[in-house]
Structures are given as structure tokens and as C-alpha cells.
Amino acid sequence: MHSNTLFNISCQKFGLIKFEGLQVVPLLAGLAVAAAALASRYGVQAWQAYKARPVVPRMRRFYEGGFQTTMTRREAALILGVRENAPPDKVKEAHKKVMVANHPDAGGSHYLASKINEAKDVLLGKTKGGGSAF
């Protein structure tokens, strides 16, 4: 038996429609291209929806106080929001950010400003953790 005869028998056996003279390969290639186009369109729409979503800021927890009489490196790091072994440039950057938000000239507390300055000094090694002026 020829392969064409086997094809005809299998088409009859399984109830398949036989397409005479129609090439199946271009049809399957066209379906694959259409599926790829639809998938890429969905991907582009999903990406645009993701980029258009509102940015939700992450809320950071700040040190809530309850200062110790002698400031430790741990307490200083908590006040500035850095690690205890942070490099000096990170300590200075964090000090600046916290100080801008709590500066006495901008309505902040003198006590908090002195504690922020003391925290910077402790982490930079300029003092051994002596008390503040308050």
C-alpha cells in the first residue's frame, strides 16, 4: 500500500476530512503566525497596563524614640535608618535626609536635632557615645 492509500483509510476510519490538493503546511504556518501575533499583542497590553499602574510608595518605619542615656551604635543606626557598619558616606547622606525633615529652623525639635547629630557622631566615631546637651 502506498502512503496516500494509508492516509485515505485513516481519514475514513477516524472521520477526518480529507483536503485534496490543499497543502496543510502553509495553513499550519499561518495559524502559528496568528497565534504569535495575538500572544505578542496580549504581552504588549499587559506591559502597558503594568507601566500605567500607580506607584505605591513603600512605607518605612522610623525609630520611635525612647532614647537611652548613653547612645549606642545600634541606637544611632536606628535613628538614622542605616546599618551599624554603614560607610561614612551613607551615614552622612542619611543624616542629611533625617536632619532636613527635623531641623529646628523648619519647625523641628531641638532635642531631636541634637539626638540626630549625636547619632551621626557615634557612627562616624567622633564621640564615644556621650550624652546630648539635653
Side-chain angles (χ1 to χ4, degrees):
M1 282 202 218
H2 292 6
S3 62
N4 195 15
T5 309
L6 288 175
F7 177 72
N8 290 338
I9 293 171
S10 62
C11 284
Q12 291 171 355
K13 183 177 180 181
F14 296 110
L16 299 174
I17 301 171
K18 185 173 79 173
F19 297 103
E20 291 287 336
L22 181 64
Q23 296 178 347
V24 178
V25 174
L27 177 67
L28 293 177
L31 289 174
V33 168
L38 287 174
S40 64
R41 184 174 125 196
Y42 174 74
V44 167
Q45 288 175 347
W47 176 253
Q48 289 173 346
Y50 173 76
K51 294 297 280 182
R53 67 180 167 70
V55 177
V56 179
R58 294 185 305 162
M59 298 299 292
R60 287 185 52 189
R61 291 202 49 195
F62 292 101
Y63 185 64
E64 294 181 7
F67 300 111
Q68 301 172 4
T69 55
T70 302
M71 187 174 292
T72 62
R73 287 187 64 80
R74 181 178 183 281
E75 183 180 20
L78 286 171
I79 290 170
L80 294 180
V82 295
R83 295 178 185 223
E84 291 180 48
N85 57 356
D89 59 323
K90 293 280 187 188
V91 172
K92 290 176 184 176
E93 181 182 332
H95 172 264
K96 184 177 180 181
K97 285 182 181 178
V98 175
M99 202 56 178
V100 164
N102 294 293
H103 198 276
D105 291 344
S109 163
H110 289 280
Y111 178 73
L112 286 179
S114 70
K115 285 296 186 178
I116 294 166
N117 287 329
E118 183 182 356
K120 179 188 80 164
D121 291 341
V122 167
L123 288 178
L124 293 178
K126 293 183 179 176
T127 181
K128 300 249 187 234
S132 67
F134 292 97

